[in-house]
Amino acid sequence: MAIPTLALVPTGVKAGKVYSVLPETGVGDFTFTRASAATRINSAGLLEVEATGVPRLEYPLIDGVVNGCPSLLLENQATNLITYPISFPTANYWTRSGASIEADATTEGTETVTNGNFTGSATGWVLANGAVYGTNNIDLPFGGGKAYQGGIVGVVNNTYKLEYTVTANTSDSVLTLYGFSEHGASFFAMNTFVVDGTVGTHTVYLQSSASAASGVIEFRNVGGTVGAVTLDNVSCKEVQGYSSPSVDFPTSAFKLVEDTSNALHYFYHPTIGDAGIKTASFFVKAGERNKIGIRDGASGGSYVSFDLENGIILDEFLTATGTINAVADGWYKISIEQTITSALRYQIFILPNSYTSGSVIGTYQGDGTSGIYIFMAQVEQGSYATSPTLTSLTAEGTTTTRVAEVCNGAGDASTFNDSEGVLMLEAAALVNQDSDRVITISDGTNSNRVTLFYEQTTNTLGYNIVVGGSSQSVNIQTLIDVTSFTKVCVKYKTNDFAFWINGFELVTDTSGATFGAGVLTELAFSGGGGGTTFYSKTKQIQYFNTVLTSAELETLTSWTSFTAMANAQQYSII
């Protein structure tokens, strides 16, 4: 077989550049731009942040294990509408019902509260609105009795374990952590948070404020007409989350834990007023519970339920469709896609292990310790989940955007033969149906081009040879699934065109012209005039400046073994 004059097997990248294997002069290298950081799956199967302008080599996962060489990942712009996608303990954003959000208590740091045991006095605390010191404790009467401590020093935007004991409660009021303190900014990222006022020791995990490293912790007994809450043993210590499938956020997973009620056990984010096609995605892992439901609580009640033990979808309701894909260390990336009519609010339900299908709104008796692990929430415009857009914890508190990628400019007039040649591609689309996505050899316009493309129609792949603005040979094939890797090539020569897919010649065309001398000058992941970017995962591109025989084209678009084919298609071999 002839040697290609341009070959890309994506293994070498740097900011602004994707290196081709051939030619060795560098003429075949691609110019790359992305005006933001982005994330990818690295060679260990973990999420990893790539800096602004650095191309992404995405490694394939089969059953959660890296298997095979990387592909060049190109994605369109996407914005995550979730403003706290990692910090689930943020109480003024993620609301719990019949459940708590927990971190890893074994990682707790030093105490931040002074005299939380109230030994001999309430030194360090300010008591107001009728609150009084008892015997090594404090009494907060109904109607607003409060105790607060300022100057609590911690790390901004970190997770803290707040523990306290209620030794008596004769009140009909509500015990709260008060976030609107007139005595200074709250230490926690919250407004007013209702806490457990029953007798016993209680733990709540909360996110510290992102705006100040020092703040106020205030307990307030709100409302009621009688009695008081007796408070003791207040403690606040920094903790880490659980291990996550991420290099850059390695201990930022949390656990959604059911309480002891016979109720629903879930949490949810605020309503997002944004209509259209939306996709929500989460990384989740089974704990003591292995079933989870994702439901839109604001726009009709569509839901998808998942089995995190077997990695399957259990049920889809109304307009919702789901996906589940294994990542490293027992984690799955799950998604729910649907059309939103006016607003959305996703609820994440813990489901009993006995659940098989049907509504995710079902009560059951919780045990107070069982749950699931969760990491990185994303809600975005569009019909499929893209890579996470959050690349820094300091970016939380607002939406985050990954800017669209552009990869063009490989080759020159000496690289390409205008009268004959072969363009070969091995790639996978990111979604079955989207706008046109095009890879092109051209003169920098759409008037003269050799094009391979995914079409808007579901699971379609085609080619088009355009000379002087007139199509000479064109064909579109329907595949089973364009999101699986496909080997495809187009051969062009005057009155001799052919289209091969996965080892089979599907099209021949014996009528049509090719280009005049010196016309073709550039290979780009886009149309000749720009736009219609080839958003995809690309494993290889080869360009030959002469036509190949049918036997060579069959070899070029085939696999060397069943195992190689199965791995390329990301099938599980059983």
Side-chain angles (χ1 to χ4, degrees):
M1 185 181 295
I3 296 174
T5 57
L6 190 152
L8 170 67
V9 180
T11 54
V13 298
K14 72 172 186 179
K17 189 72 67 176
V18 177
Y19 293 105
S20 290
V21 178
L22 295 172
E24 295 179 351
T25 61
V27 170
D29 298 339
F30 291 82
T31 299
F32 176 88
T33 60
R34 185 190 62 245
S36 71
T39 56
R40 64 159 184 150
I41 299 295
N42 69 9
S43 59
L46 300 174
L47 272 176
E48 182 175 12
V49 173
E50 289 288 7
T52 298
V54 177
R56 293 178 289 167
L57 300 183
E58 175 104 338
Y59 282 79
L61 292 170
I62 300 177
D63 296 330
V65 178
V66 170
N67 193 322
C69 298
S71 56
L72 177 65
L73 174 62
L74 297 178
E75 289 184 302
N76 201 353
Q77 179 167 306
T79 296
N80 188 0
L81 302 177
I82 297 290
T83 57
Y84 286 94
I86 284 183
S87 298
F88 295 109
T90 304
N92 64 350
Y93 192 83
W94 293 99
T95 301
R96 299 92 154 166
S97 179
S100 61
I101 296 291
E102 296 188 1
D104 186 354
T106 65
T107 64
E108 65 181 32
T110 58
E111 183 62 68
T112 63
V113 169
T114 300
N115 188 28
N117 294 328
F118 306 105
T119 303
S121 72
T123 299
W125 293 83
V126 177
L127 309 183
N129 293 356
V132 295
Y133 177 71
T135 304
N136 298 329
N137 54 41
I138 54 174
D139 289 326
L140 306 179
F142 74 91
K146 63 182 179 180
Y148 64 90
Q149 183 173 130
I152 304 292
V153 177
V155 180
V156 299
N157 207 32
N158 271 26
T159 304
Y160 284 79
K161 174 188 175 185
L162 179 69
E163 193 171 58
Y164 63 96
T165 300
V166 176
T167 59
N169 188 345
T170 59
S171 174
D172 59 350
S173 52
V174 177
L175 183 62
T176 67
L177 283 170
Y178 203 71
F180 295 110
S181 178
E182 60 267 39
H183 313 294
S186 173
F187 179 73
F188 300 117
M190 63 173 197
N191 298 321
T192 295
F193 185 68
V194 176
V195 294
D196 196 336
T198 60
V199 173
T201 297
H202 307 290
T203 301
V204 61
Y205 293 86
L206 294 167
Q207 203 76 3
S208 60
S209 172
S211 60
S214 176
V216 175
I217 293 178
E218 177 177 331
F219 286 90
R220 186 177 295 200
N221 199 9
V222 178
T225 59
V226 66
V229 173
T230 303
L231 194 66
D232 198 3
N233 300 325
V234 177
S235 171
C236 181
K237 298 177 181 179
E238 181 185 359
V239 290
Q240 301 296 316
Y242 293 96
S243 177
S244 78
S246 168
V247 172
D248 303 279
F249 312 107
T251 56
S252 290
F254 294 93
K255 189 177 183 182
L256 178 60
V257 178
E258 64 196 34
D259 65 14
T260 57
S261 65
N262 186 5
L264 301 173
H265 307 279
Y266 68 104
F267 77 134
Y268 57 92
H269 62 77
T271 299
I272 299 172
D274 194 12
I277 299 175
K278 297 290 186 296
T279 299
S281 58
F282 306 84
F283 290 83
V284 291
K285 181 178 180 178
E288 299 81 8
R289 300 298 182 205
N290 55 39
K291 308 289 175 60
I292 185 173
I294 311 296
R295 177 183 183 271
D296 174 28
S299 187
S302 296
Y303 65 78
V304 180
S305 54
F306 303 87
D307 181 335
L308 304 183
E309 183 176 47
N310 299 300
I312 58 174
I313 293 170
L314 296 173
D315 202 359
E316 297 171 322
F317 182 63
L318 293 179
T319 64
T321 58
T323 65
I324 181 168
N325 294 290
V327 293
D329 300 327
W331 287 86
Y332 289 92
K333 184 178 182 180
I334 62 174
S335 74
I336 174 173
E337 180 267 329
Q338 66 180 120
T339 299
I340 302 297
T341 56
S342 59
L344 62 89
R345 183 181 65 251
Y346 284 111
Q347 303 162 321
I348 298 91
F349 286 87
I350 308 171
L351 301 175
N353 291 348
S354 59
Y355 173 91
T356 56
S357 64
S359 175
V360 297
I361 307 178
T363 62
Y364 72 92
Q365 180 64 53
D367 62 18
T369 59
S370 296
I372 58 170
Y373 298 93
I374 189 164
F375 170 73
M376 192 71 81
Q378 183 154 304
V379 173
E380 57 193 300
Q381 180 78 30
S383 61
Y384 64 102
T386 67
S387 61
T389 65
L390 184 77
T391 57
S392 170
L393 282 176
T394 59
E396 285 197 303
T398 186
T399 59
T400 52
T401 297
R402 180 192 61 251
V403 178
E405 293 165 307
V406 177
C407 189
N408 294 328
D412 60 15
S414 66
T415 307
F416 308 108
N417 186 341
D418 300 285
S419 60
E420 64 178 76
V422 172
L423 175 62
M424 181 271 182
L425 169 71
E426 182 180 2
L430 303 180
V431 65
N432 293 320
Q433 182 180 14
D434 202 354
S435 58
D436 290 346
R437 293 140 287 168
V438 176
I439 188 165
T440 306
I441 304 171
S442 74
D443 61 355
T445 74
N446 284 319
S447 296
N448 295 286
R449 53 192 165 96
V450 177
T451 299
L452 292 169
F453 59 88
Y454 298 117
E455 200 189 31
Q456 293 182 28
T457 307
T458 301
N459 288 323
T460 51
L461 173 63
Y463 80 92
N464 194 6
I465 311 296
V466 177
V467 178
S470 176
S471 181
Q472 301 298 305
S473 183
V474 60
N475 185 264
I476 298 171
Q477 295 289 319
T478 299
L479 306 186
I480 295 174
D481 183 5
V482 293
T483 64
S484 295
F485 280 96
T486 301
K487 289 186 176 184
V488 57
C489 71
V490 58
K491 177 186 76 173
Y492 67 94
K493 185 177 182 180
T494 300
N495 298 329
D496 184 10
F497 302 89
F499 190 36
W500 287 73
I501 297 178
N502 293 341
F504 294 93
E505 185 179 56
L506 300 182
V507 177
T508 60
D509 188 350
T510 58
S511 176
T514 54
F515 309 93
V519 171
L520 301 177
T521 59
E522 176 192 17
L523 174 60
F525 285 87
S526 65
T532 58
T533 301
F534 194 70
Y535 297 124
S536 63
K537 297 178 182 179
T538 299
K539 281 194 173 181
Q540 63 168 315
I541 298 172
Q542 296 188 59
Y543 173 77
F544 299 83
N545 64 359
T546 183
V547 295
L548 303 179
T549 66
S550 293
E552 290 172 326
L553 293 170
E554 180 181 358
T555 299
L556 192 63
T557 56
S558 299
W559 284 272
T560 56
S561 68
F562 172 80
T563 298
M565 180 191 70
N567 287 338
Q569 302 294 304
Q570 296 184 269
Y571 295 149
S572 297
I573 300 176
I574 57 176

